[in-house]
Amino acid sequence: MPEPIKTYNTAVEATLEVIGGKWKPVILFFLTFGKKRNGEFISLMPVITQKVLTQQLRELEEDGVIKRTVYNVVPPRVEYELTDYGWSLKEILHLMCRWGDAHIERVYGDQAAVLAQPQTKA
């Protein structure tokens, strides 16, 4: 039997390799509500820097999770959306959001703020 190309401790590790980090799950979560432009991401995540946003979007695109569409207009318009492969993450991302809401309530009560409150029932 040939040697494996890659070895993981658990499949969770493979998932985190693609969506892990501070910003990737947030970017993907927002994309479950539709296409987004760069400025929309900046508005939704005001703390992220443009450099980090661009890097995270590129990595997600390289992994085949998001699609970048450039429109040939002036000024140039670029939109990001989930690929079919990316849509397979929707359920887990929304579950993470609901768990996070419960965790925030448990740990901080009304002493914490969540900037974006999209409907996660979908």
Side-chain angles (χ1 to χ4, degrees):
M1 182 168 161
E3 285 290 315
I5 296 171
K6 181 99 178 190
T7 302
Y8 295 100
N9 293 302
T10 175
V12 171
E13 187 179 351
T15 305
L16 291 175
E17 188 173 77
V18 176
I19 69 165
K22 181 176 181 176
W23 296 112
K24 285 182 184 179
V26 178
I27 291 166
L28 293 169
F29 177 75
F30 284 129
L31 286 174
T32 66
F33 297 97
K35 297 176 184 179
K36 298 285 180 277
R37 294 176 65 185
N38 189 75
E40 292 175 282
F41 283 121
I42 295 295
S43 294
L44 291 166
M45 302 177 291
V47 178
I48 195 170
T49 65
Q50 183 61 60
K51 177 184 175 186
V52 171
L53 176 60
T54 300
Q55 177 186 8
Q56 299 294 279
L57 289 167
R58 281 186 185 145
E59 289 176 12
L60 289 166
E61 186 179 13
E62 287 172 12
D63 286 327
V65 178
I66 66 170
K67 175 183 164 187
R68 179 179 187 261
T69 304
V70 180
Y71 295 91
N72 191 17
V73 294
V74 177
R77 187 178 86 187
V78 178
E79 289 182 337
Y80 297 91
E81 64 185 310
L82 294 172
T83 62
D84 288 341
Y85 186 50
W87 277 109
S88 68
L89 293 164
K90 179 182 176 182
E91 185 178 346
I92 192 168
L93 293 163
H94 285 236
L95 286 170
M96 288 171 65
C97 184
R98 286 194 287 277
W99 188 91
D101 283 338
H103 176 71
I104 290 166
E105 178 63 29
R106 179 176 187 246
V107 174
Y108 301 103
D110 62 358
Q111 300 298 306
V114 177
L115 298 178
Q117 291 292 335
Q119 297 299 315
T120 59
K121 304 283 189 256

